[in-house]
Amino acid sequence: MERIKEALERAKSERQSAPVAGDGVKQPAPVRNLLPDVIDYTDTHVFEPDQDHLRRNRVITGGASNAGGDAFRMLRTRVLQAMSDNGWNSIAVTSPSVGNGKSVTSANLAISLAREVNHTVLLVDLDLRQPSIHDLFGYQPKAGVGDHLTRDEPIAGMLFNPGLERLVVLPGLDRYDQSSELLSSPRMHALSEELRRRYPERIVVFDLPPVLAVDDALAFSPLVESMLLVVEDGVTQAQELQSSLEMLKDANVIGTVLNKSHAAHSKYYKY
Amino acid sequence: MENQEPNNLKDYLEVIKRRKGQLLLTFGVLMLITLLLAFGLPSVYRSTATILIEEPDIPADLVQSTITSFADQQIQVISQRSMTSPNINRIIEDFNLYPEDRERVSQSELVERVREDTTLELISANVIDPRSGRPTQATIAFTLSFDHRQPNLAQRVADALVTVYLEQSLNTRRTQTEQTATFFEEEVQLAEQRVERLELALAKFKAENGEVLPTQYQLTLTALARADAQVLETQRNIQLLNERRIMMDTQIGAVSPSAPVGLGREQVLPPTERLQQLESDYASKSGLYGQDHPTVVRLRREIESLRRETGQGPDLAEVDRKISTYTDQLQELRNRYSESHPDVVNTQRQLDALLADRVAALARDSVPAEVGGYVAATDDVSARLNVRQKPGTSSKVVGFLNKGERAMLVATGTEGWFEVELPNGTQGFVSQEFTRPLKTNDMPRTPTNPVYIQLVSQRNATEAELRGQLATLDALKEQRILLEERIARSPEVERQYTALLRDLTTERAAYSTAKGKELLTRQAEKVESAHGQRFTMIEPAVTPIAPHWPNRLAILFLGVVLSLAGTVGVGAVSESMDAAIRSPAAVIAITGVTPMAVIPYIYNAADSSRGKRNTALIAGVVVAGLVLALLAVHFLYRPLDVLWYAMLRGMGA
């Protein structure tokens, strides 16, 4: 409990100093002037999420050592290594089927990446079928990325900071049936380029729909540099994993994550 | 695709934990079925009667029972006879069985149900067979049970079934014995009839072929030899007698029947005799003196008066004989002397007188043949005349009419023949040619010459003897023929006789065998009725207290075991069908690369509270199950306090 208190206090202090931190990161000139001065922390809505809500949704914010946190740190490190090796700065997180925990994983990965002080992280909810990132943080946005893709709503108004330094979230909001068309649209193409290249030290994490459920991930794969496949322990069938890998064979799948592992839990988890 | 097989306890626990919901559901459903079965099935009560098969009181070595089939075979037979539809229908009616199904189900199905609810179990024991001395299995008793939901009804029906069985047993054995006895009785009767028939046939055969039977053969041979000898002897006798008769006939021919009468000596004689004497005198004296001589005249007068007196003329035969004598004499004298010689003249005169007499006699004697009158042989007959059985010379001779005898005329109808009756009563036919009728009082002149009479009688005796011998010969010849016939027939008769005897022997043997068997059967029948093998109910059907079925404890136990097995099976099957990835190794197997991170399951408050809830629920279920199990044992198996003391006792001992 003391840790939680500590975390809360730290979060409070961070929020107070957030604009300062945000100002510290100076962005280079954008490649395309699609979003001139959009990403501006002054415009970004800073939002302090409820810790209980985060915990309920298994979003790990505390820096304390626990099994989940350790695992994500491990993931962060390896992802960063892979990215720096190849000079990438965007990664899409997907999974074979619904419910494998890819949204939670992408959120936790983004948080973990953000803790690394060298980067700013942008988490984009591209699961237009079932946008859930904002729910994880308990934030109710006025517009989502879908609105930008369909109605050219300005991105700036959508972004929010969930009380963590160097982390900005671009949420989805509404559900779209033609999500794969949206994801492969020129506007999406432009947006992705913009998001990746606007800030060199920024890592963009995309949350994609399941590979096998819809073709969104497949359609989007050319627009992203690397992909991460979330496998759910005891649920994802070997066949599903194989099919997913085959479908994504042209994309750069840098690796897999075995999620919800009970074996790992029993070994380390001592809550 | 290789799946990661669980290979240690931890993995199994992992699997259980993973699938606990599924496993609990499976187990729960199976246990529910088990409980429904264990407590929902209706109780069926079984009432059992034990029936002992009693061995015969009298050992089988002494009196063999006619019922030799094995006890269990008999029980099966009796069972089939008892469990017939009519019997079962009666029981259903009597006890009002299955009233709820009577309307719905056909009668035959109800009967089938009774059969299914009836159980017959044989009780065997290892015994030593007294006959063969080998150890064997013998059925010594059997039990008859009836199952029903109502204990008292089960008992009553079982009782009724036992009654039916015992009755059937009695009937079956009685019928069997009676049938056997009747069979042998009929056999004996048949055999008896056959023997009787053969005996009758043999007796008849013996009567028909009495003298030809093989036993008589030697006697017949002897008799034949004796007959042969007798034939020879008789033939010799006949020859002798014939010779003697011929000799006697010759002698008789030479002797005159009339005795010479002495002239010098006066005799007082009856008129007939006197007449004969005088006639004799007259013949000689008329020859000697001539017709006119006083002596001759006197004699003639005397003769005439006597003839008037007696009514008798001169005997024609006598006259004829004298005529022939004098004719011969005259012939001889004429050869020797001249016509004028006194002897010749004398003889001529006598002959003339005789001729005259003859004429007179002829006139006198010509009387008609009348029935009731008499006939005699004429003078042409040398000594006797044949009397034949029938008219004709070829007919058999039955007697003789001697010269001088007379026969009574019985009938005259036949041409050339008279039917006559001889003085000795013999009747027959004589030729008319050699007979002449006699006047009523004209008796042939009785021979008077003693020598002649003697000779005639001797010859008659010889004649009779000869006839006797001839008859004997005929008889002997006939006997010989008979004997020879017998000997000829003997082999055939012997064959038939032997065949008859053989048949009779066979049939007698068959008869005695059948009779013996019948006696045995009768004995066996007695044994059977009083001391034979029989069924005795040693334990009557009682009203069952505890249900026979279902064994709820066993169902429970089995259900628990099967539920566990089913659960394990379901787990194993779903585990084997589940190809889910469960470890980094599985990921490596597919991707070839270690996953970048293994993220443990992140628990939140809801998870832990749900976990607590589940733990409490499981604990509650376990406790409830334990209580239920204890209650089940208490009420269904044995009260717990009893069990407790039993357990203590078991440990103490």
PDB file of all heavy atoms in Angstrom, chain A residues 56 58 78 233-234 236-238 241 245 256-258 260-261 265, chain B residues 1 578-582 587 591 596-597 599-604 607:
ATOM      1  N   ARG A  56      -7.756  -2.678 -12.110  1.00  0.00           N
ATOM      2  CA  ARG A  56      -8.840  -3.560 -12.536  1.00  0.00           C
ATOM      3  C   ARG A  56      -8.619  -3.991 -13.975  1.00  0.00           C
ATOM      4  O   ARG A  56      -8.868  -5.122 -14.346  1.00  0.00           O
ATOM      5  CB  ARG A  56     -10.172  -2.826 -12.408  1.00  0.00           C
ATOM      6  CG  ARG A  56     -11.112  -3.504 -11.472  1.00  0.00           C
ATOM      7  CD  ARG A  56     -12.550  -2.989 -11.483  1.00  0.00           C
ATOM      8  NE  ARG A  56     -12.796  -1.637 -11.888  1.00  0.00           N
ATOM      9  CZ  ARG A  56     -12.824  -0.576 -11.053  1.00  0.00           C
ATOM     10  NH1 ARG A  56     -12.588  -0.724  -9.761  1.00  0.00           N
ATOM     11  NH2 ARG A  56     -13.111   0.616 -11.511  1.00  0.00           N
ATOM     12  N   ARG A  58      -5.795  -4.241 -15.402  1.00  0.00           N
ATOM     13  CA  ARG A  58      -4.483  -4.891 -15.499  1.00  0.00           C
ATOM     14  C   ARG A  58      -3.442  -4.010 -16.214  1.00  0.00           C
ATOM     15  O   ARG A  58      -2.584  -4.502 -16.905  1.00  0.00           O
ATOM     16  CB  ARG A  58      -4.608  -6.235 -16.236  1.00  0.00           C
ATOM     17  CG  ARG A  58      -5.560  -7.198 -15.537  1.00  0.00           C
ATOM     18  CD  ARG A  58      -5.649  -8.505 -16.263  1.00  0.00           C
ATOM     19  NE  ARG A  58      -6.472  -9.455 -15.511  1.00  0.00           N
ATOM     20  CZ  ARG A  58      -7.780  -9.543 -15.572  1.00  0.00           C
ATOM     21  NH1 ARG A  58      -8.430  -8.713 -16.355  1.00  0.00           N
ATOM     22  NH2 ARG A  58      -8.437 -10.406 -14.860  1.00  0.00           N
ATOM     23  N   ARG A  78      13.811  -5.842 -25.143  1.00  0.00           N
ATOM     24  CA  ARG A  78      14.049  -6.607 -26.361  1.00  0.00           C
ATOM     25  C   ARG A  78      13.491  -5.891 -27.586  1.00  0.00           C
ATOM     26  O   ARG A  78      14.090  -5.909 -28.657  1.00  0.00           O
ATOM     27  CB  ARG A  78      13.427  -8.010 -26.230  1.00  0.00           C
ATOM     28  CG  ARG A  78      14.123  -8.802 -25.145  1.00  0.00           C
ATOM     29  CD  ARG A  78      13.792 -10.247 -25.229  1.00  0.00           C
ATOM     30  NE  ARG A  78      14.288 -10.859 -26.437  1.00  0.00           N
ATOM     31  CZ  ARG A  78      14.218 -12.138 -26.691  1.00  0.00           C
ATOM     32  NH1 ARG A  78      13.644 -12.939 -25.813  1.00  0.00           N
ATOM     33  NH2 ARG A  78      14.686 -12.622 -27.824  1.00  0.00           N
ATOM     34  N   ASP A 233      -1.636 -17.792 -23.399  1.00  0.00           N
ATOM     35  CA  ASP A 233      -1.315 -19.099 -22.843  1.00  0.00           C
ATOM     36  C   ASP A 233      -2.586 -19.904 -22.607  1.00  0.00           C
ATOM     37  O   ASP A 233      -3.525 -19.453 -21.971  1.00  0.00           O
ATOM     38  CB  ASP A 233      -0.573 -18.904 -21.511  1.00  0.00           C
ATOM     39  CG  ASP A 233      -0.109 -20.222 -20.924  1.00  0.00           C
ATOM     40  OD1 ASP A 233      -0.278 -21.267 -21.594  1.00  0.00           O
ATOM     41  OD2 ASP A 233       0.428 -20.209 -19.802  1.00  0.00           O
ATOM     42  N   GLY A 234      -2.615 -21.118 -23.174  1.00  0.00           N
ATOM     43  CA  GLY A 234      -3.735 -22.034 -22.929  1.00  0.00           C
ATOM     44  C   GLY A 234      -4.933 -21.741 -23.786  1.00  0.00           C
ATOM     45  O   GLY A 234      -5.910 -22.480 -23.728  1.00  0.00           O
ATOM     46  N   THR A 236      -4.674 -19.725 -27.202  1.00  0.00           N
ATOM     47  CA  THR A 236      -4.261 -19.695 -28.602  1.00  0.00           C
ATOM     48  C   THR A 236      -3.807 -21.091 -29.009  1.00  0.00           C
ATOM     49  O   THR A 236      -2.979 -21.717 -28.361  1.00  0.00           O
ATOM     50  CB  THR A 236      -3.112 -18.700 -28.785  1.00  0.00           C
ATOM     51  OG1 THR A 236      -3.536 -17.434 -28.336  1.00  0.00           O
ATOM     52  CG2 THR A 236      -2.722 -18.623 -30.248  1.00  0.00           C
ATOM     53  N   GLN A 237      -4.406 -21.532 -30.088  1.00  0.00           N
ATOM     54  CA  GLN A 237      -4.053 -22.850 -30.577  1.00  0.00           C
ATOM     55  C   GLN A 237      -2.805 -22.743 -31.445  1.00  0.00           C
ATOM     56  O   GLN A 237      -2.546 -21.700 -32.064  1.00  0.00           O
ATOM     57  CB  GLN A 237      -5.198 -23.429 -31.411  1.00  0.00           C
ATOM     58  CG  GLN A 237      -6.513 -23.536 -30.663  1.00  0.00           C
ATOM     59  CD  GLN A 237      -6.487 -24.635 -29.615  1.00  0.00           C
ATOM     60  OE1 GLN A 237      -6.277 -25.790 -29.923  1.00  0.00           O
ATOM     61  NE2 GLN A 237      -6.671 -24.244 -28.355  1.00  0.00           N
ATOM     62  N   ALA A 238      -2.072 -23.828 -31.449  1.00  0.00           N
ATOM     63  CA  ALA A 238      -0.851 -23.855 -32.248  1.00  0.00           C
ATOM     64  C   ALA A 238      -1.165 -23.536 -33.700  1.00  0.00           C
ATOM     65  O   ALA A 238      -0.431 -22.817 -34.379  1.00  0.00           O
ATOM     66  CB  ALA A 238      -0.203 -25.232 -32.137  1.00  0.00           C
ATOM     67  N   LEU A 241      -1.580 -19.820 -34.234  1.00  0.00           N
ATOM     68  CA  LEU A 241      -0.301 -19.116 -34.252  1.00  0.00           C
ATOM     69  C   LEU A 241       0.384 -19.298 -35.604  1.00  0.00           C
ATOM     70  O   LEU A 241       0.888 -18.342 -36.210  1.00  0.00           O
ATOM     71  CB  LEU A 241       0.585 -19.657 -33.129  1.00  0.00           C
ATOM     72  CG  LEU A 241       2.013 -19.124 -33.071  1.00  0.00           C
ATOM     73  CD1 LEU A 241       2.028 -17.606 -32.982  1.00  0.00           C
ATOM     74  CD2 LEU A 241       2.754 -19.732 -31.891  1.00  0.00           C
ATOM     75  N   LEU A 245       1.262 -16.424 -38.388  1.00  0.00           N
ATOM     76  CA  LEU A 245       2.622 -16.179 -38.871  1.00  0.00           C
ATOM     77  C   LEU A 245       2.675 -16.238 -40.380  1.00  0.00           C
ATOM     78  O   LEU A 245       3.364 -15.454 -41.028  1.00  0.00           O
ATOM     79  CB  LEU A 245       3.570 -17.218 -38.274  1.00  0.00           C
ATOM     80  CG  LEU A 245       3.937 -17.002 -36.804  1.00  0.00           C
ATOM     81  CD1 LEU A 245       4.761 -18.170 -36.287  1.00  0.00           C
ATOM     82  CD2 LEU A 245       4.692 -15.693 -36.617  1.00  0.00           C
ATOM     83  N   THR A 256       7.168 -12.897 -30.572  1.00  0.00           N
ATOM     84  CA  THR A 256       5.872 -13.186 -29.951  1.00  0.00           C
ATOM     85  C   THR A 256       5.947 -12.867 -28.479  1.00  0.00           C
ATOM     86  O   THR A 256       7.021 -12.782 -27.888  1.00  0.00           O
ATOM     87  CB  THR A 256       5.523 -14.676 -30.099  1.00  0.00           C
ATOM     88  OG1 THR A 256       6.595 -15.458 -29.603  1.00  0.00           O
ATOM     89  CG2 THR A 256       5.273 -15.026 -31.557  1.00  0.00           C
ATOM     90  N   VAL A 257       4.772 -12.743 -27.897  1.00  0.00           N
ATOM     91  CA  VAL A 257       4.677 -12.573 -26.449  1.00  0.00           C
ATOM     92  C   VAL A 257       3.707 -13.631 -25.941  1.00  0.00           C
ATOM     93  O   VAL A 257       2.603 -13.756 -26.457  1.00  0.00           O
ATOM     94  CB  VAL A 257       4.140 -11.167 -26.098  1.00  0.00           C
ATOM     95  CG1 VAL A 257       3.954 -11.041 -24.594  1.00  0.00           C
ATOM     96  CG2 VAL A 257       5.070 -10.099 -26.611  1.00  0.00           C
ATOM     97  N   LEU A 258       4.174 -14.421 -24.993  1.00  0.00           N
ATOM     98  CA  LEU A 258       3.265 -15.408 -24.388  1.00  0.00           C
ATOM     99  C   LEU A 258       2.580 -14.728 -23.224  1.00  0.00           C
ATOM    100  O   LEU A 258       3.199 -14.446 -22.195  1.00  0.00           O
ATOM    101  CB  LEU A 258       4.065 -16.635 -23.919  1.00  0.00           C
ATOM    102  CG  LEU A 258       3.227 -17.801 -23.412  1.00  0.00           C
ATOM    103  CD1 LEU A 258       2.298 -18.311 -24.509  1.00  0.00           C
ATOM    104  CD2 LEU A 258       4.131 -18.919 -22.926  1.00  0.00           C
ATOM    105  N   LYS A 260      -0.572 -13.979 -20.354  1.00  0.00           N
ATOM    106  CA  LYS A 260      -1.417 -14.648 -19.337  1.00  0.00           C
ATOM    107  C   LYS A 260      -0.849 -16.002 -18.935  1.00  0.00           C
ATOM    108  O   LYS A 260      -1.583 -16.968 -18.737  1.00  0.00           O
ATOM    109  CB  LYS A 260      -2.839 -14.850 -19.868  1.00  0.00           C
ATOM    110  CG  LYS A 260      -3.535 -13.557 -20.287  1.00  0.00           C
ATOM    111  CD  LYS A 260      -5.007 -13.835 -20.519  1.00  0.00           C
ATOM    112  CE  LYS A 260      -5.664 -12.700 -21.284  1.00  0.00           C
ATOM    113  NZ  LYS A 260      -7.068 -12.981 -21.588  1.00  0.00           N
ATOM    114  N   SER A 261       0.478 -16.062 -18.858  1.00  0.00           N
ATOM    115  CA  SER A 261       1.084 -17.348 -18.549  1.00  0.00           C
ATOM    116  C   SER A 261       0.916 -17.681 -17.074  1.00  0.00           C
ATOM    117  O   SER A 261       1.324 -16.924 -16.199  1.00  0.00           O
ATOM    118  CB  SER A 261       2.573 -17.323 -18.916  1.00  0.00           C
ATOM    119  OG  SER A 261       3.193 -18.461 -18.387  1.00  0.00           O
ATOM    120  N   HIS A 265       3.581 -17.145 -13.910  1.00  0.00           N
ATOM    121  CA  HIS A 265       2.994 -16.561 -12.712  1.00  0.00           C
ATOM    122  C   HIS A 265       3.371 -17.338 -11.465  1.00  0.00           C
ATOM    123  O   HIS A 265       3.805 -16.811 -10.467  1.00  0.00           O
ATOM    124  CB  HIS A 265       1.474 -16.545 -12.881  1.00  0.00           C
ATOM    125  CG  HIS A 265       0.763 -16.122 -11.656  1.00  0.00           C
ATOM    126  ND1 HIS A 265       0.207 -17.005 -10.811  1.00  0.00           N
ATOM    127  CD2 HIS A 265       0.549 -14.897 -11.118  1.00  0.00           C
ATOM    128  CE1 HIS A 265      -0.327 -16.370  -9.806  1.00  0.00           C
ATOM    129  NE2 HIS A 265      -0.135 -15.066  -9.976  1.00  0.00           N
TER     130      HIS A 265
ATOM    131  N   MET B   1       1.738 -31.526 -35.533  1.00  0.00           N
ATOM    132  CA  MET B   1       2.043 -30.527 -34.506  1.00  0.00           C
ATOM    133  C   MET B   1       2.150 -31.217 -33.144  1.00  0.00           C
ATOM    134  O   MET B   1       1.264 -31.921 -32.736  1.00  0.00           O
ATOM    135  CB  MET B   1       0.898 -29.522 -34.514  1.00  0.00           C
ATOM    136  CG  MET B   1       0.837 -28.633 -33.359  1.00  0.00           C
ATOM    137  SD  MET B   1      -0.579 -27.540 -33.482  1.00  0.00           S
ATOM    138  CE  MET B   1      -1.288 -27.903 -35.060  1.00  0.00           C
ATOM    139  N   ASP B 578      -7.146 -30.557 -27.232  1.00  0.00           N
ATOM    140  CA  ASP B 578      -6.816 -29.140 -27.114  1.00  0.00           C
ATOM    141  C   ASP B 578      -5.356 -28.930 -27.510  1.00  0.00           C
ATOM    142  O   ASP B 578      -4.447 -29.437 -26.873  1.00  0.00           O
ATOM    143  CB  ASP B 578      -7.046 -28.710 -25.660  1.00  0.00           C
ATOM    144  CG  ASP B 578      -6.844 -27.232 -25.503  1.00  0.00           C
ATOM    145  OD1 ASP B 578      -6.645 -26.564 -26.536  1.00  0.00           O
ATOM    146  OD2 ASP B 578      -6.894 -26.760 -24.363  1.00  0.00           O
ATOM    147  N   ALA B 579      -5.142 -28.207 -28.597  1.00  0.00           N
ATOM    148  CA  ALA B 579      -3.778 -27.990 -29.070  1.00  0.00           C
ATOM    149  C   ALA B 579      -3.285 -26.597 -28.669  1.00  0.00           C
ATOM    150  O   ALA B 579      -2.466 -25.982 -29.345  1.00  0.00           O
ATOM    151  CB  ALA B 579      -3.709 -28.168 -30.577  1.00  0.00           C
ATOM    152  N   ALA B 580      -3.836 -26.117 -27.551  1.00  0.00           N
ATOM    153  CA  ALA B 580      -3.473 -24.753 -27.164  1.00  0.00           C
ATOM    154  C   ALA B 580      -2.000 -24.665 -26.767  1.00  0.00           C
ATOM    155  O   ALA B 580      -1.415 -25.636 -26.303  1.00  0.00           O
ATOM    156  CB  ALA B 580      -4.346 -24.299 -26.001  1.00  0.00           C
ATOM    157  N   ILE B 581      -1.444 -23.476 -26.959  1.00  0.00           N
ATOM    158  CA  ILE B 581      -0.046 -23.232 -26.592  1.00  0.00           C
ATOM    159  C   ILE B 581      -0.005 -22.907 -25.117  1.00  0.00           C
ATOM    160  O   ILE B 581      -0.791 -22.090 -24.618  1.00  0.00           O
ATOM    161  CB  ILE B 581       0.506 -22.064 -27.427  1.00  0.00           C
ATOM    162  CG1 ILE B 581       0.619 -22.516 -28.865  1.00  0.00           C
ATOM    163  CG2 ILE B 581       1.839 -21.580 -26.880  1.00  0.00           C
ATOM    164  CD1 ILE B 581       0.674 -21.380 -29.834  1.00  0.00           C
ATOM    165  N   ARG B 582       0.862 -23.597 -24.406  1.00  0.00           N
ATOM    166  CA  ARG B 582       0.892 -23.418 -22.964  1.00  0.00           C
ATOM    167  C   ARG B 582       2.270 -23.109 -22.403  1.00  0.00           C
ATOM    168  O   ARG B 582       2.429 -23.003 -21.203  1.00  0.00           O
ATOM    169  CB  ARG B 582       0.397 -24.699 -22.272  1.00  0.00           C
ATOM    170  CG  ARG B 582      -0.959 -25.121 -22.690  1.00  0.00           C
ATOM    171  CD  ARG B 582      -1.557 -26.087 -21.702  1.00  0.00           C
ATOM    172  NE  ARG B 582      -2.722 -26.713 -22.319  1.00  0.00           N
ATOM    173  CZ  ARG B 582      -3.865 -26.076 -22.517  1.00  0.00           C
ATOM    174  NH1 ARG B 582      -3.978 -24.826 -22.134  1.00  0.00           N
ATOM    175  NH2 ARG B 582      -4.872 -26.670 -23.093  1.00  0.00           N
ATOM    176  N   VAL B 587       5.820 -22.322 -28.178  1.00  0.00           N
ATOM    177  CA  VAL B 587       5.998 -21.199 -29.109  1.00  0.00           C
ATOM    178  C   VAL B 587       7.251 -21.416 -29.925  1.00  0.00           C
ATOM    179  O   VAL B 587       7.262 -21.237 -31.147  1.00  0.00           O
ATOM    180  CB  VAL B 587       6.062 -19.870 -28.329  1.00  0.00           C
ATOM    181  CG1 VAL B 587       6.316 -18.711 -29.272  1.00  0.00           C
ATOM    182  CG2 VAL B 587       4.784 -19.659 -27.538  1.00  0.00           C
ATOM    183  N   THR B 591       7.492 -21.219 -33.879  1.00  0.00           N
ATOM    184  CA  THR B 591       8.158 -20.075 -34.510  1.00  0.00           C
ATOM    185  C   THR B 591       9.648 -20.299 -34.678  1.00  0.00           C
ATOM    186  O   THR B 591      10.290 -19.682 -35.516  1.00  0.00           O
ATOM    187  CB  THR B 591       7.965 -18.820 -33.651  1.00  0.00           C
ATOM    188  OG1 THR B 591       8.533 -19.072 -32.360  1.00  0.00           O
ATOM    189  CG2 THR B 591       6.499 -18.482 -33.480  1.00  0.00           C
ATOM    190  N   MET B 596       9.458 -13.246 -27.039  1.00  0.00           N
ATOM    191  CA  MET B 596      10.225 -12.096 -26.551  1.00  0.00           C
ATOM    192  C   MET B 596       9.990 -11.882 -25.078  1.00  0.00           C
ATOM    193  O   MET B 596      10.854 -11.376 -24.373  1.00  0.00           O
ATOM    194  CB  MET B 596       9.844 -10.846 -27.340  1.00  0.00           C
ATOM    195  CG  MET B 596      10.202 -11.010 -28.811  1.00  0.00           C
ATOM    196  SD  MET B 596       9.946  -9.517 -29.747  1.00  0.00           S
ATOM    197  CE  MET B 596      11.399  -8.592 -29.332  1.00  0.00           C
ATOM    198  N   ALA B 597       8.811 -12.261 -24.631  1.00  0.00           N
ATOM    199  CA  ALA B 597       8.550 -12.150 -23.199  1.00  0.00           C
ATOM    200  C   ALA B 597       7.434 -13.106 -22.817  1.00  0.00           C
ATOM    201  O   ALA B 597       6.593 -13.433 -23.636  1.00  0.00           O
ATOM    202  CB  ALA B 597       8.138 -10.724 -22.849  1.00  0.00           C
ATOM    203  N   ILE B 599       4.553 -13.186 -20.229  1.00  0.00           N
ATOM    204  CA  ILE B 599       3.898 -12.274 -19.303  1.00  0.00           C
ATOM    205  C   ILE B 599       2.946 -13.073 -18.426  1.00  0.00           C
ATOM    206  O   ILE B 599       2.068 -13.765 -18.941  1.00  0.00           O
ATOM    207  CB  ILE B 599       3.126 -11.195 -20.079  1.00  0.00           C
ATOM    208  CG1 ILE B 599       4.140 -10.345 -20.860  1.00  0.00           C
ATOM    209  CG2 ILE B 599       2.312 -10.320 -19.132  1.00  0.00           C
ATOM    210  CD1 ILE B 599       3.545  -9.571 -21.975  1.00  0.00           C
ATOM    211  N   PRO B 600       3.150 -13.018 -17.125  1.00  0.00           N
ATOM    212  CA  PRO B 600       2.253 -13.793 -16.248  1.00  0.00           C
ATOM    213  C   PRO B 600       0.861 -13.206 -16.238  1.00  0.00           C
ATOM    214  O   PRO B 600       0.651 -12.059 -16.621  1.00  0.00           O
ATOM    215  CB  PRO B 600       2.934 -13.650 -14.880  1.00  0.00           C
ATOM    216  CG  PRO B 600       3.702 -12.388 -14.965  1.00  0.00           C
ATOM    217  CD  PRO B 600       4.142 -12.232 -16.386  1.00  0.00           C
ATOM    218  N   TYR B 601      -0.034 -14.059 -15.832  1.00  0.00           N
ATOM    219  CA  TYR B 601      -1.405 -13.598 -15.704  1.00  0.00           C
ATOM    220  C   TYR B 601      -1.454 -12.517 -14.640  1.00  0.00           C
ATOM    221  O   TYR B 601      -0.912 -12.679 -13.558  1.00  0.00           O
ATOM    222  CB  TYR B 601      -2.325 -14.762 -15.335  1.00  0.00           C
ATOM    223  CG  TYR B 601      -3.782 -14.402 -15.387  1.00  0.00           C
ATOM    224  CD1 TYR B 601      -4.477 -14.520 -16.593  1.00  0.00           C
ATOM    225  CD2 TYR B 601      -4.448 -13.922 -14.257  1.00  0.00           C
ATOM    226  CE1 TYR B 601      -5.798 -14.172 -16.652  1.00  0.00           C
ATOM    227  CE2 TYR B 601      -5.783 -13.575 -14.329  1.00  0.00           C
ATOM    228  CZ  TYR B 601      -6.461 -13.692 -15.532  1.00  0.00           C
ATOM    229  OH  TYR B 601      -7.780 -13.354 -15.617  1.00  0.00           O
ATOM    230  N   ILE B 602      -2.048 -11.425 -14.991  1.00  0.00           N
ATOM    231  CA  ILE B 602      -2.085 -10.307 -14.058  1.00  0.00           C
ATOM    232  C   ILE B 602      -3.415 -10.333 -13.338  1.00  0.00           C
ATOM    233  O   ILE B 602      -4.471 -10.223 -13.956  1.00  0.00           O
ATOM    234  CB  ILE B 602      -1.902  -8.974 -14.812  1.00  0.00           C
ATOM    235  CG1 ILE B 602      -0.552  -9.006 -15.529  1.00  0.00           C
ATOM    236  CG2 ILE B 602      -1.977  -7.792 -13.853  1.00  0.00           C
ATOM    237  CD1 ILE B 602      -0.442  -8.008 -16.637  1.00  0.00           C
ATOM    238  N   TYR B 603      -3.326 -10.526 -12.051  1.00  0.00           N
ATOM    239  CA  TYR B 603      -4.554 -10.648 -11.269  1.00  0.00           C
ATOM    240  C   TYR B 603      -5.033  -9.276 -10.876  1.00  0.00           C
ATOM    241  O   TYR B 603      -4.242  -8.380 -10.589  1.00  0.00           O
ATOM    242  CB  TYR B 603      -4.314 -11.469 -10.011  1.00  0.00           C
ATOM    243  CG  TYR B 603      -4.157 -12.936 -10.307  1.00  0.00           C
ATOM    244  CD1 TYR B 603      -2.912 -13.477 -10.546  1.00  0.00           C
ATOM    245  CD2 TYR B 603      -5.277 -13.752 -10.367  1.00  0.00           C
ATOM    246  CE1 TYR B 603      -2.763 -14.794 -10.826  1.00  0.00           C
ATOM    247  CE2 TYR B 603      -5.134 -15.083 -10.651  1.00  0.00           C
ATOM    248  CZ  TYR B 603      -3.885 -15.605 -10.880  1.00  0.00           C
ATOM    249  OH  TYR B 603      -3.772 -16.910 -11.160  1.00  0.00           O
ATOM    250  N   ASN B 604      -6.358  -9.194 -10.854  1.00  0.00           N
ATOM    251  CA  ASN B 604      -6.930  -7.981 -10.293  1.00  0.00           C
ATOM    252  C   ASN B 604      -7.835  -8.352  -9.141  1.00  0.00           C
ATOM    253  O   ASN B 604      -7.950  -9.539  -8.787  1.00  0.00           O
ATOM    254  CB  ASN B 604      -7.666  -7.175 -11.382  1.00  0.00           C
ATOM    255  CG  ASN B 604      -8.780  -7.982 -12.027  1.00  0.00           C
ATOM    256  OD1 ASN B 604      -9.158  -9.010 -11.489  1.00  0.00           O
ATOM    257  ND2 ASN B 604      -9.278  -7.534 -13.162  1.00  0.00           N
ATOM    258  N   ASP B 607     -10.489 -10.981  -9.772  1.00  0.00           N
ATOM    259  CA  ASP B 607      -9.977 -12.342  -9.844  1.00  0.00           C
ATOM    260  C   ASP B 607      -9.861 -12.964  -8.465  1.00  0.00           C
ATOM    261  O   ASP B 607     -10.333 -14.065  -8.221  1.00  0.00           O
ATOM    262  CB  ASP B 607      -8.589 -12.359 -10.499  1.00  0.00           C
ATOM    263  CG  ASP B 607      -8.694 -12.142 -11.997  1.00  0.00           C
ATOM    264  OD1 ASP B 607      -9.769 -12.468 -12.538  1.00  0.00           O
ATOM    265  OD2 ASP B 607      -7.716 -11.669 -12.595  1.00  0.00           O
TER     266      ASP B 607
END
